[in-house]
Amino acid sequence: MEVNIQQILDNMMKRVDQLTYIRTEEIPNIELYMDQVLTFMNERLRHTTRNPEEDKILTKTMINNYAKSDLLPPPNRKKYSKDHILLLLFIYYFKGVLSINDTREILGNISEKWFDGKNDYGLEDIYNEVFRMEPGQIELLRKDIYDKFSLAETTFAEAPEDAQEFLRFFSFICLLSFDVYVKRMLIESAIDELCCWKKR
């Protein structure tokens, strides 16, 4: 089986280069109805999906379930504030990695203390602080992907020659998957520590 692993790597790097986040100044300063929230989120984050023409970022059902699961405070007269949008963005980034319970554990404390101006330091400040680290992290990510690719290229030297390229690609996927597996395990461990800390 012939695999053009270099082309796949190039495509991955293009995806990395397209990684952006929604800046707070791009979020409307007025409250939005559900349909407006869905349009905003689906338009702004479409490029992050696997199948941009088909995949939905958010649906009415998802938002209603987030509210029922105490991940999102209820809207004010069916309107969602900028802070609602910020929480939905955090939920969107967490949902591919964490369970609903873990996401609730992290965001519950944030929402309780900083949602809708409960403090001078607000949810917008938290979001900006977290995402200002993005450019440096993308560079580290690019380097890490190239390092894993280079390591995978050294594997399966003893395999049949016509299978080596495919097996090296498999090795590359395994390295990336192991990284995600370990980081998820570490995040879960950190959340468990957070729970213990909150109970003290």
Side-chain angles (χ1 to χ4, degrees):
M1 183 180 292
E2 193 170 321
V3 177
N4 188 339
I5 197 166
Q6 184 61 52
Q7 182 63 48
I8 292 169
L9 182 65
D10 291 343
N11 289 339
M12 289 176 72
M13 287 303 158
K14 284 179 190 168
R15 290 287 311 261
V16 169
D17 289 340
Q18 292 170 351
L19 285 175
T20 59
Y21 68 97
I22 297 174
R23 288 165 175 73
T24 52
E25 59 269 19
E26 298 168 340
I27 300 171
N29 277 319
I30 58 170
E31 291 185 323
L32 303 175
Y33 287 106
M34 172 83 80
D35 287 343
Q36 294 170 308
V37 171
L38 294 174
T39 299
F40 177 78
M41 296 288 278
N42 285 317
E43 284 177 358
R44 297 309 311 276
L45 294 172
R46 181 170 307 287
H47 68 280
T48 66
T49 63
R50 188 173 190 173
N51 300 300
E53 299 306 315
E54 301 168 20
D55 295 343
K56 294 278 187 192
I57 301 297
L58 277 177
T59 64
K60 289 180 183 181
T61 303
M62 286 180 195
I63 292 177
N64 289 331
N65 285 340
Y66 296 152
K68 286 177 190 170
S69 301
D70 294 327
L71 282 172
L72 190 70
N76 179 26
R77 292 184 301 231
K78 298 187 178 182
K79 288 186 174 180
Y80 295 84
S81 67
K82 190 172 191 174
D83 278 3
H84 280 106
I85 304 291
L86 294 171
L87 281 176
L88 284 169
L89 288 168
F90 278 120
I91 291 167
Y92 175 70
Y93 291 119
F94 286 147
K95 76 176 182 177
V97 181
L98 299 176
S99 69
I100 290 284
N101 287 341
D102 284 342
T103 302
R104 185 186 310 109
E105 193 64 48
I106 295 171
L107 291 181
N109 208 25
I110 297 287
S111 183
E112 184 181 314
K113 291 182 179 176
W114 290 289
F115 184 82
D116 269 355
K118 292 178 184 168
N119 251 302
D120 288 341
Y121 193 81
L123 195 54
E124 188 170 343
D125 298 304
I126 293 167
Y127 181 89
N128 285 333
E129 187 72 18
V130 168
F131 283 95
R132 78 174 174 77
M133 298 182 287
E134 178 204 25
Q137 291 304 304
I138 286 179
E139 280 311 306
L140 291 172
L141 177 62
R142 287 178 64 85
K143 182 183 182 312
D144 183 59
I145 291 169
Y146 276 120
D147 288 347
K148 284 179 171 56
F149 174 73
S150 297
L151 180 57
E153 285 288 274
T154 67
T155 61
F156 293 106
E158 303 302 318
E161 193 171 329
D162 63 344
Q164 286 180 1
E165 192 168 30
F166 175 79
L167 290 172
R168 286 175 180 152
F169 178 57
F170 176 72
S171 181
F172 180 49
I173 290 172
C174 288
L175 286 169
L176 292 172
S177 299
F178 179 71
D179 189 58
V180 173
Y181 166 77
V182 171
K183 285 180 179 169
R184 179 178 176 151
M185 186 175 63
L186 293 173
I187 293 167
E188 290 171 346
S189 177
I191 291 168
D192 292 343
E193 289 295 323
L194 176 68
C195 292
C196 293
W197 176 76
K198 281 166 58 178
K199 289 175 184 173
R200 289 179 195 150

